[in-house]
Short mmCIF file of all heavy atoms in Angstrom, two decimals:
data_model
loop_
_atom_site.label_atom_id
_atom_site.label_comp_id
_atom_site.label_asym_id
_atom_site.label_seq_id
_atom_site.Cartn_x
_atom_site.Cartn_y
_atom_site.Cartn_z
N LEU A 413 91.23 -118.63 -53.02
CA LEU A 413 92.60 -118.22 -52.92
C LEU A 413 92.92 -116.97 -53.59
O LEU A 413 93.67 -116.07 -53.06
CB LEU A 413 93.50 -119.33 -53.50
CG LEU A 413 93.58 -120.71 -52.71
CD1 LEU A 413 94.24 -121.74 -53.55
CD2 LEU A 413 94.13 -120.50 -51.39
N HIS A 414 92.30 -116.71 -54.73
CA HIS A 414 92.49 -115.49 -55.48
C HIS A 414 91.92 -114.25 -54.68
O HIS A 414 92.54 -113.17 -54.63
CB HIS A 414 91.80 -115.50 -56.85
CG HIS A 414 91.99 -114.31 -57.65
ND1 HIS A 414 93.23 -113.94 -58.19
CD2 HIS A 414 91.10 -113.39 -58.13
CE1 HIS A 414 93.10 -112.82 -58.82
NE2 HIS A 414 91.78 -112.41 -58.81
N THR A 415 90.72 -114.48 -54.04
CA THR A 415 90.13 -113.42 -53.27
C THR A 415 91.02 -113.04 -52.04
O THR A 415 91.24 -111.86 -51.78
CB THR A 415 88.75 -113.88 -52.79
OG1 THR A 415 87.94 -114.09 -53.92
CG2 THR A 415 88.08 -112.73 -51.94
N LYS A 416 91.54 -114.08 -51.40
CA LYS A 416 92.44 -113.77 -50.23
C LYS A 416 93.65 -113.10 -50.71
O LYS A 416 94.18 -112.19 -50.02
CB LYS A 416 92.84 -115.16 -49.60
CG LYS A 416 91.66 -115.81 -48.88
CD LYS A 416 92.10 -117.14 -48.20
CE LYS A 416 90.91 -117.79 -47.56
NZ LYS A 416 91.36 -119.10 -46.94
N ALA A 417 94.21 -113.41 -51.89
CA ALA A 417 95.36 -112.71 -52.42
C ALA A 417 95.06 -111.21 -52.68
O ALA A 417 95.86 -110.33 -52.34
CB ALA A 417 95.86 -113.41 -53.69
N ARG A 418 93.89 -110.98 -53.25
CA ARG A 418 93.51 -109.62 -53.52
C ARG A 418 93.31 -108.76 -52.26
O ARG A 418 93.73 -107.61 -52.14
CB ARG A 418 92.17 -109.55 -54.27
CG ARG A 418 92.32 -109.92 -55.77
CD ARG A 418 93.13 -108.84 -56.51
NE ARG A 418 93.44 -109.22 -57.90
CZ ARG A 418 92.70 -108.85 -58.91
NH1 ARG A 418 91.62 -108.05 -58.71
NH2 ARG A 418 93.07 -109.14 -60.10
N VAL A 419 92.77 -109.46 -51.19
CA VAL A 419 92.57 -108.75 -49.89
C VAL A 419 93.96 -108.36 -49.30
O VAL A 419 94.11 -107.26 -48.79
CB VAL A 419 91.84 -109.71 -48.89
CG1 VAL A 419 91.89 -109.11 -47.51
CG2 VAL A 419 90.37 -109.85 -49.37
N SER A 420 94.93 -109.33 -49.45
CA SER A 420 96.27 -109.00 -48.91
C SER A 420 96.91 -107.83 -49.77
O SER A 420 97.57 -107.00 -49.15
CB SER A 420 97.13 -110.25 -49.07
OG SER A 420 96.63 -111.30 -48.24
N ALA A 421 96.71 -107.85 -51.03
CA ALA A 421 97.31 -106.79 -51.89
C ALA A 421 96.60 -105.43 -51.52
O ALA A 421 97.31 -104.44 -51.47
CB ALA A 421 97.04 -107.07 -53.32
N PHE A 422 95.27 -105.50 -51.28
CA PHE A 422 94.62 -104.20 -50.82
C PHE A 422 95.15 -103.71 -49.54
O PHE A 422 95.24 -102.50 -49.33
CB PHE A 422 93.06 -104.47 -50.78
CG PHE A 422 92.36 -104.26 -52.06
CD1 PHE A 422 92.70 -104.88 -53.25
CD2 PHE A 422 91.33 -103.36 -52.10
CE1 PHE A 422 92.02 -104.69 -54.40
CE2 PHE A 422 90.66 -103.09 -53.29
CZ PHE A 422 90.97 -103.75 -54.41
N ARG A 423 95.48 -104.62 -48.62
CA ARG A 423 95.97 -104.22 -47.31
C ARG A 423 97.32 -103.48 -47.54
O ARG A 423 97.61 -102.41 -46.89
CB ARG A 423 96.17 -105.34 -46.40
CG ARG A 423 94.94 -105.98 -45.84
CD ARG A 423 95.17 -106.81 -44.64
NE ARG A 423 93.99 -107.53 -44.15
CZ ARG A 423 93.65 -108.76 -44.35
NH1 ARG A 423 94.55 -109.54 -45.02
NH2 ARG A 423 92.58 -109.34 -43.84
N ASN A 424 98.16 -104.03 -48.37
CA ASN A 424 99.43 -103.37 -48.61
C ASN A 424 99.25 -102.00 -49.23
O ASN A 424 99.99 -101.00 -48.91
CB ASN A 424 100.25 -104.23 -49.58
CG ASN A 424 100.81 -105.46 -48.93
OD1 ASN A 424 100.81 -105.60 -47.73
ND2 ASN A 424 101.31 -106.37 -49.73
N LEU A 425 98.32 -101.88 -50.17
CA LEU A 425 98.06 -100.58 -50.79
C LEU A 425 97.50 -99.58 -49.83
O LEU A 425 97.88 -98.38 -49.78
CB LEU A 425 97.06 -100.77 -51.98
CG LEU A 425 96.92 -99.70 -53.01
CD1 LEU A 425 98.29 -99.42 -53.62
CD2 LEU A 425 95.95 -100.11 -54.13
#
Side-chain angles (χ1 to χ4, degrees):
L413 291 174
H414 181 68
T415 301
K416 292 179 180 179
R418 284 294 173 97
V419 171
S420 298
F422 269 58
R423 286 198 185 105
N424 288 346
L425 198 55

